[in-house]
């Protein structure tokens, strides 16, 4: 007998020990029923639920209710059904009255990676905790009191959360110019729904999950032109500043005191004289060139090193290749998951020359990572995004994101006439993603089809109707054979009459 069942039995024994008796007048006589007597409360296994083992349901006490236990664990299902009947009889538990805060805390404890968690696992766990805290804080503010129960959560309340969050600034303490997107609210409500589902399964309680998750928003399809990429590099190498109003570089007038000659030149930002700022902008230039010429994801780009590594990607300037992940394991590798492909690609000749020079400089300073911060540590996706946004704000591209370079690479390849298969292999992307997301810009890749349709020599001689009418007799159905023989008799009769 488990500890939970033992606690219930002790509770019942304590209630009986208090000698609680009811008078005979207080007990209502059961109503007489006609027909077949009702079956007792029992556990049923539904084969159409829960996969190959089925799902355990409790029947005989109103509508059938799922126990959230698969059919291969019948002992746990029987115990769960007994506990539910005892709890309902004593009035100890009402699933709709469970506080949302209790469910969220239970999910946090269950998913905590602990001291043995990796850096990525800890980062994802902290992000999940922040999002669940934001959802819970909004619910308490909306209701006016703390202790919101799961029974009060409805899809309409989730829709109100989504609509309210879309009007809030994307960053804490920021202005209203950059607002939260559907992706942010979708992730918040997805974690909340996952917490409720986990609580239902682990505690085997019938809770109606009222968290609604909005549909996925349209993917971003912004890409950059070569002129815009050049503007980013000018900011990184020279420290120029772009005037967004006049759509040109900010200039200044300088007068030579000796000759009196007046020169108009581009103005350099004041903080660019700082060596720390200049070094960070040089690292940003590296990232821009690698991301633009290879279309690598930001998370894969941050892990790039100069030598072969079992868990990281690397760039080999001698062979001119980039390998986006390690040799033996990938990002999603685990005991039950296969490693993702490395995504090895050749790099253009111009980038090969740059990487050869960068490697020589880094090896002298004993730096192994391709992209580094001011203190010498490697960049992560968040710090690289902040750096690229800082550079973009100085050249009129303040809303730029790192993923736009990947969009730009795919767009340039398709406009240059590369096939969908070649483009997908070069940027390490699925062909379906290239076809569905970038198919409208692949007009250059349709030249082969236009030439084929314009050449009359390669047109088929027979149509599908001709081929279906002249099929051999052994490939025809009985009805088609009768029609074909009738057609032959008509032809023969016409020849005889002629």
């Amino acid at each position: 007998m488990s500890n939970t069942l033992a606690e219930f039995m002790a509770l019942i024994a304590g209630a009986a020990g208090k000698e609680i008796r009811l008078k005979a007048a207080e007990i209502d006589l059961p109503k007489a029923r006609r027909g077949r007597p009702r079956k007792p409360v029992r556990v049923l296994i539904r084969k159409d639920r829960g996969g190959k083992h089925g799902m355990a349901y409790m029947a005989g006490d109103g509508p059938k209710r799922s126990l959230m236990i698969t059919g291969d664990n019948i002992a746990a299902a029987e115990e769960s059904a007994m506990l539910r009947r005892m709890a309902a009889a004593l009035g100890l538990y009402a699933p709709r009255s469970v506080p949302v805060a209790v469910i969220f805390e239970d999910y946090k404890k269950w998913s905590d990676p602990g001291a043995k968690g990796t850096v990525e696992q800890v980062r994802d766990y902290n992000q999940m905790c922040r999002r669940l805290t934001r959802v819970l804080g909004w619910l308490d503010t909306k209701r006016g009191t703390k202790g919101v129960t799961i029974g009060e959560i409805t899809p309409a309340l989730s829709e109100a959360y989504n609509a309210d969050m879309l009007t809030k600034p994307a960053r804490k303490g920021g202005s209203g110019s950059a607002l939260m997107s559907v992706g942010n609210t979708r992730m918040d409500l997805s974690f909340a729904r996952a917490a409720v589902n986990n609580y239902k399964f682990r505690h085997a309680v019938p809770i109606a999950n009222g968290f609604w998750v909005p549909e996925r928003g349209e993917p971003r399809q912004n890409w950059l032109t070569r002129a815009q990429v050049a503007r980013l590099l000018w900011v990184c190498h020279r420290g120029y500043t772009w005037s967004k109003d006049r759509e040109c570089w900010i200039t200044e007038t300088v007068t030579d005191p000796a000759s009196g000659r007046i020169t108009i030149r581009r103005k350099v930002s004041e903080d660019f004289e700082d060596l720390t700022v200049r070094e960070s902008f040089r690292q940003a230039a590296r990232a821009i060139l690698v991301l633009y010429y290879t279309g690598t994801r930001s998370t894969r780009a941050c892990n790039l090193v100069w030598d072969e590594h079992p868990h990281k990607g690397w760039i080999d300037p001698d062979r001119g290749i980039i390998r986006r992940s390690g040799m033996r394991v990938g990002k999603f590798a685990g005991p039950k998951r296969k490693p993702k492909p490395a995504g090895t690609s050749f790099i253009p000749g111009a980038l090969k020359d740059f990487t050869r020079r960068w490697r020589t400089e880094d090896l002298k300073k004993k730096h192994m990572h391709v992209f580094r911060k001011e203190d010498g540590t490697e960049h992560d996706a968040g710090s690289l995004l902040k750096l690229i946004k800082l550079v973009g704000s100085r050249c009129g591209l303040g809303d730029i994101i790192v993923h736009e370079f990947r969009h730009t690479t795919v767009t340039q390849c398709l406009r240059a006439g590369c096939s969908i298969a070649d483009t997908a292999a070069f940027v390490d992307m699925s062909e379906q993603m290239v076809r569905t997301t970038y198919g409208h810009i692949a007009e250059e890749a349709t030249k082969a089809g236009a030439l084929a349709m314009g050449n009359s020599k390669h047109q088929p001689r027979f149509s599908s109707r001709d081929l279906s009418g002249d099929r051999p007799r052994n490939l025809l159905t009985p009805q088609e054979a009768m029609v074909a023989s009738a057609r032959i008799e008509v032809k023969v009769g016409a020849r005889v009459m002629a």
Side-chain angles (χ1 to χ4, degrees):
M1 183 179 297
S2 64
N3 295 333
T4 308
L5 184 57
E7 293 175 1
F8 272 102
M9 297 300 293
L11 183 61
I12 295 175
K18 294 179 181 180
E19 298 181 356
I20 301 175
R21 298 184 177 85
L22 297 176
K23 297 181 181 179
E26 297 177 356
I27 301 176
D28 297 331
L29 296 177
K31 296 181 180 181
R33 296 177 57 90
R34 301 183 60 183
R36 187 175 61 181
R38 177 181 295 181
K39 292 183 179 180
V41 180
R42 61 201 182 280
V43 175
L44 296 178
I45 305 299
R46 294 188 58 174
K47 293 298 184 181
D48 57 338
R49 298 287 192 274
K52 63 178 181 178
H53 298 294
M55 182 65 69
Y57 277 72
M58 187 170 67
D61 187 14
K64 296 179 181 178
R65 290 173 293 175
S66 175
L67 296 174
M68 299 298 174
I69 299 175
T70 54
D72 57 339
N73 196 354
I74 189 64
E78 294 284 355
E79 182 177 348
S80 176
M82 182 185 300
L83 293 178
R84 287 195 184 187
R85 292 196 298 268
M86 297 167 62
L90 297 175
L92 298 176
Y93 186 74
R96 292 177 56 87
S97 63
V98 179
V100 177
V102 173
I103 296 177
F104 286 179
E105 288 299 325
D106 183 80
Y107 188 59
K108 291 177 183 178
K109 293 180 181 179
W110 177 80
S111 56
D112 188 0
K116 296 183 179 180
T118 61
V119 176
E120 293 183 355
Q121 290 174 347
V122 174
R123 182 189 60 199
D124 295 342
Y125 172 75
N126 293 333
Q127 181 187 28
M128 180 201 69
C129 294
R130 290 194 299 268
R131 293 184 179 275
L132 291 179
T133 304
R134 180 163 59 188
V135 173
L136 185 60
W138 185 90
L139 291 175
D140 293 339
T141 305
K142 184 72 173 178
R143 292 298 181 183
T145 57
K146 292 186 177 181
V148 180
T149 61
I150 190 61
E152 302 178 35
I153 305 300
T154 60
L157 194 62
S158 300
E159 292 179 2
Y161 174 83
N162 179 51
D164 189 19
M165 286 294 110
L166 293 180
T167 61
K168 299 294 181 63
R171 297 186 179 276
K172 185 177 181 180
S175 61
S177 57
L179 302 178
M180 293 183 65
S181 62
V182 180
N184 290 325
T185 59
R186 176 182 171 84
M187 190 172 295
D188 293 351
L189 296 173
S190 297
F191 281 129
R193 185 173 64 177
V196 177
N197 291 336
N198 181 72
Y199 190 85
K200 287 168 54 178
F201 179 78
R202 294 178 57 244
H203 296 274
V205 291
I207 298 178
N209 195 345
F211 280 104
W212 165 84
V213 178
E215 295 183 359
R216 188 183 300 273
E218 293 294 329
R220 295 190 183 186
Q221 300 180 8
N222 299 333
W223 63 83
L224 303 172
T225 61
R226 290 182 178 270
Q228 291 173 336
V229 176
R231 276 161 49 184
L232 292 170
L233 295 176
W234 276 115
V235 171
C236 295
H237 285 289
R238 299 295 179 87
Y240 298 150
T241 304
W242 182 265
S243 176
K244 193 173 182 180
D245 299 331
R246 295 181 297 172
E247 291 293 329
C248 63
W249 295 106
I250 297 177
T251 58
E252 60 180 357
T253 303
V254 179
T255 303
D256 189 2
S259 61
R261 182 179 179 181
I262 300 176
T263 305
I264 299 177
R265 65 184 184 184
R266 296 176 182 176
K267 185 177 181 180
V268 180
S269 59
E270 297 179 357
D271 60 347
F272 195 73
E273 300 297 331
D274 189 356
L275 296 179
T276 304
V277 175
R278 188 177 300 179
E279 179 61 25
S280 64
F281 275 33
R282 287 179 179 175
Q283 295 296 322
R286 286 190 183 188
I288 291 171
L289 289 172
V290 173
L291 293 171
Y292 173 72
Y293 278 113
T294 64
T296 307
R297 293 180 179 273
S298 60
T299 53
R300 296 287 183 92
C302 293
N303 290 327
L304 291 175
V305 294
W306 290 120
D307 195 5
E308 295 188 9
H309 197 278
H311 310 298
K312 296 178 179 292
W314 67 83
I315 296 179
D316 189 349
D318 298 329
R319 291 189 294 168
I321 63 172
I322 177 174
R323 192 177 182 91
R324 296 179 175 90
S325 64
M327 296 168 51
R328 294 177 294 183
V329 296
K331 178 181 178 182
F332 298 100
K336 296 183 179 179
R337 296 180 179 179
K338 296 181 180 179
K340 295 192 70 175
T344 305
S345 303
F346 284 96
I347 57 179
L351 183 60
K352 187 191 302 184
D353 297 336
F354 280 120
T355 54
R356 187 179 290 109
R357 187 177 65 190
W358 296 341
R359 185 183 63 175
T360 303
E361 296 175 356
D362 290 349
L363 293 182
K364 289 181 180 179
K365 301 178 182 179
K366 297 182 179 181
H367 292 310
M368 295 304 300
H369 283 85
V370 179
F371 310 129
R372 304 183 308 278
K373 299 180 184 179
E374 296 85 352
D375 56 357
T377 59
E378 67 273 14
H379 269 291
D380 56 8
S383 61
L384 184 62
L385 175 61
K386 292 180 181 179
L387 182 59
I388 295 299
K389 279 188 172 295
L390 177 61
V391 175
S393 63
R394 301 195 179 193
C395 61
L397 302 173
D399 57 343
I400 189 175
I401 59 175
V402 183
H403 207 68
E404 286 188 27
F405 294 102
R406 185 171 174 84
H407 294 307
T408 303
T409 305
V410 177
T411 303
Q412 295 288 357
C413 290
L414 292 177
R415 287 190 178 276
C418 296
S419 64
I420 292 179
D422 293 341
T423 303
F426 177 68
V427 299
D428 193 18
M429 184 185 297
S430 65
E431 296 185 19
Q432 182 181 2
M433 178 65 70
V434 177
R435 184 177 293 106
T436 56
T437 307
Y438 306 93
H440 61 285
I441 59 175
E443 65 273 6
E444 296 293 335
T446 61
K447 289 183 178 180
L451 294 175
M453 292 303 297
N455 191 349
S456 60
K457 296 182 180 180
H458 297 287
Q459 298 301 322
R461 184 177 179 182
F462 302 103
S463 67
S464 59
R465 293 182 176 84
D466 298 332
L467 297 176
S468 63
D470 295 337
R471 280 189 299 173
R473 185 175 179 84
N474 59 341
L475 298 180
L476 298 176
T477 62
Q479 185 177 2
E480 292 174 344
M482 293 177 60
V483 175
S485 55
R487 189 184 302 114
I488 293 175
E489 292 178 359
V490 171
K491 291 182 179 180
V492 172
R495 291 178 182 177
V496 172
M497 293 297 294

